[in-house]
């Protein structure tokens, strides 16, 4: 366990032992405590609330592995389980805030915590609730960055498909679409919970105006991130549609070529089969070499001329000629 204590509002960070963090939580007026737990929970691991001396609060969920998203006010305190995107996977930050301190617990290193600590000397939040909203915004930022990066990958992949199509692009599109679904399914329940909780708190009449402003700003940012994820989902579906259209266009080209070949060679095959029959009339009348060449070459030349004329009139030939490699 790695314990970091941030003195507020200066934003001074100090690595310390859990016992010292426990003492400072009991006496400090404005404190941020970050608890980095091992990535794998051990069977004899004590609850974080017990180690920090917060047994009086109902905090059995704080730092517990496998907790679902949470956003609830507990009288003068509040508890949140916030999803974040870390190294391409979804993890969670557990946050408990009172008027005097903010405790954040998570498994392994988390980027938003480092970003939050770096922002504190510049932002200088007025209280722990303002610090909490900064943490929530940092968590939203991980979803926005992941969605925007994936969206740019989809756009580049779509441009690449129009230049040269290959099956590997389908696999990449599938992974990007799965990432969009993962972001949406991870963020939406959390946003619904926070929106309901914050709205109910704002309607109580005891929520200060400054905190209402922070809450409204957070809700706008949340809707914007959700719109970015929706744009990623739409772009991935459009890219799959583009790929299908390209495949259908190539298949149409193949069908056009087969139609031209059939138009030319089917009548010739018919003539060959017809005059290859062993009827008495055929064998008696085609003994002359002149008649043979007239029928063998003349009829086929006439049929070929008619076939080419039909192709020209139906514009199949022109359409096939216009389909060059650049257009595919």
């Amino acid at each position: 366990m790695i314990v970091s204590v941030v003195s507020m509002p200066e934003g001074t960070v100090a690595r310390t032992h859990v016992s010292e963090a426990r003492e400072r939580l009991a006496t400090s007026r404005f404190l941020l405590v970050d608890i980095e737990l091992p990535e794998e929970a051990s069977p004899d691991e004590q609850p974080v609330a017990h180690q920090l001396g917060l047994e009086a609060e109902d905090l059995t969920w704080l730092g517990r592995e496998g907790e679902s998203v949470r956003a609830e006010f507990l009288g003068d305190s509040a508890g949140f389980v916030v999803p974040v995107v870390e190294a391409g996977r979804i993890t969670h930050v557990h946050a408990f805030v009172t008027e005097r301190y903010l405790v954040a617990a998570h498994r392994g290193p988390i980027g938003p915590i480092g970003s939050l600590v770096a922002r504190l000397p510049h932002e200088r939040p007025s209280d722990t609730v303002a610090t909490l909203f900064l943490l929530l915004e940092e968590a939203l930022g991980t979803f926005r960055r992941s969605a925007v990066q994936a969206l740019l990958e989809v756009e580049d992949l779509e441009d690449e498909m129009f230049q040269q199509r290959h099956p590997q692009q389908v696999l990449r599109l599938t992974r990007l679409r799965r990432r969009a679904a993962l972001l949406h399914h991870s963020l939406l329940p959390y946003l619904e919970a926070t929106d309901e909780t914050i709205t109910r708190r704002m309607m109580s009449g005891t929520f200060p105006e400054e905190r209402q402003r922070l809450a409204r700003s957070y809700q706008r940012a949340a809707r914007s991130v959700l719109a970015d994820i929706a744009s990623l989902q739409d772009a991935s579906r459009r890219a799959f549609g583009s790929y299908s259209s390209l495949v259908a266009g190539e298949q149409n080209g193949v069908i056009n070529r087969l139609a031209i070949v059939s138009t030319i060679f089917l009548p010739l095959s018919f003539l060959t089969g017809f005059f290859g029959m062993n009827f008495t009339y055929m064998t008696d009348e085609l003994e002359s070499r002149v008649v043979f060449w007239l029928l063998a070459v003349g009829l086929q030349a006439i049929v070929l001329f008619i076939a080419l004329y039909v192709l020209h009139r139906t514009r199949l030939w022109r359409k096939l000629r216009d389909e060059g490699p650049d257009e595919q």
Side-chain angles (χ1 to χ4, degrees):
M1 177 187 295
I2 300 176
V3 182
S4 301
V5 177
V6 184
S7 302
M8 302 297 293
E10 298 84 3
T12 305
V13 185
R15 291 284 180 88
T16 183
H17 193 266
V18 66
S19 59
E20 182 178 347
R22 179 173 180 166
E23 294 176 0
R24 296 190 61 178
L25 283 172
T27 59
S28 178
R29 294 181 177 272
F30 191 2
L31 196 67
L32 168 63
V33 178
D34 175 50
I35 309 294
E36 181 181 329
L37 300 168
E39 295 189 5
E40 298 293 337
S42 59
D44 57 345
E45 183 179 81
Q46 294 184 351
V48 174
H50 174 73
Q51 297 184 58
L52 294 177
L54 304 176
E55 295 91 343
E57 307 285 351
D58 184 15
L59 300 179
T60 56
W61 54 269
L62 184 64
R64 187 166 59 187
E65 193 173 16
E67 281 293 307
S68 58
V69 294
R70 175 190 297 263
E72 58 183 3
F73 282 95
L74 310 169
D76 295 332
S77 61
F80 289 82
V81 177
V82 187
V84 298
V85 182
E86 184 67 26
R89 62 186 181 90
I90 303 296
T91 186
H92 294 85
V93 175
H94 298 194
F96 176 70
V97 60
T98 68
E99 295 291 342
R100 295 192 302 107
Y101 55 80
L102 170 62
V103 177
H106 49 88
R107 298 280 171 182
I110 297 293
I113 298 295
S115 301
L116 171 64
V117 173
R119 289 178 59 184
L120 291 177
H122 307 285
E123 297 285 347
R124 300 184 71 86
S126 57
D127 55 18
T128 54
V129 176
T131 308
L132 172 67
F133 277 108
L134 289 178
L135 174 60
L136 299 183
E137 290 179 359
E138 286 292 338
L140 284 179
T142 63
F143 280 88
R144 174 181 286 111
R145 287 189 292 272
S146 181
V148 171
Q149 180 184 0
L151 181 59
L152 293 176
E153 291 181 18
V154 171
E155 298 290 345
D156 293 340
L157 188 57
E158 193 171 10
D159 292 340
E160 181 184 327
M161 286 191 307
F162 281 100
Q163 296 177 1
Q164 184 178 3
R165 185 181 59 82
H166 52 83
Q168 188 67 19
Q169 294 165 342
V170 179
L171 177 60
R172 293 167 59 188
L173 276 177
T174 302
R175 291 175 177 173
L176 290 171
R177 187 169 65 175
R178 186 178 184 278
R179 186 191 303 182
L182 178 63
L183 294 176
H184 185 268
H185 294 327
S186 300
L187 185 62
L188 184 60
Y190 163 72
L191 293 184
E192 290 176 346
T194 54
D195 189 65
E196 179 183 355
T197 301
I198 291 175
T199 301
R200 187 170 61 249
R201 187 68 171 178
M202 291 171 64
M203 294 175 62
S204 65
T206 60
F207 208 51
E209 182 63 30
E210 176 62 22
R211 294 182 180 179
Q212 291 189 27
R213 184 187 64 82
L214 292 174
R216 286 192 292 267
S217 175
Y218 168 76
Q219 288 176 324
R220 287 194 298 268
R223 288 191 292 268
S224 175
V225 173
L226 203 58
D228 290 337
I229 296 176
S231 298
L232 172 60
Q233 291 178 310
D234 293 338
S236 61
R237 285 192 290 265
R238 186 188 66 241
F240 268 102
S242 299
Y243 189 91
S244 300
S245 298
L246 290 173
V247 172
E250 292 183 358
Q251 290 177 345
N252 289 336
V254 172
I255 292 174
N256 288 336
R257 292 180 177 88
L258 291 176
I260 291 174
V261 171
S262 299
T263 304
I264 294 174
F265 285 98
L266 280 179
L268 300 180
S269 300
F270 171 76
L271 290 176
T272 303
F274 181 78
F275 286 100
M277 297 180 183
N278 294 322
F279 291 115
T280 304
Y281 177 80
M282 294 285 188
T283 56
D284 292 343
E285 297 296 330
L286 298 183
E287 293 180 354
S288 172
R289 181 178 298 179
V290 177
V291 175
F292 170 78
W293 285 111
L294 285 175
L295 292 175
V297 179
L299 283 177
Q300 297 198 33
I302 292 173
V303 170
L304 183 60
F305 175 79
I306 294 174
L308 294 176
Y309 177 77
V310 170
L311 290 174
H312 178 73
R313 294 292 295 177
T314 56
R315 300 182 180 179
L316 288 176
W317 188 271
R318 184 182 303 175
K319 184 177 181 180
L320 182 64
R321 182 189 62 189
D322 292 341
E323 290 181 353
D326 295 336
E327 296 183 2
Q328 298 177 0

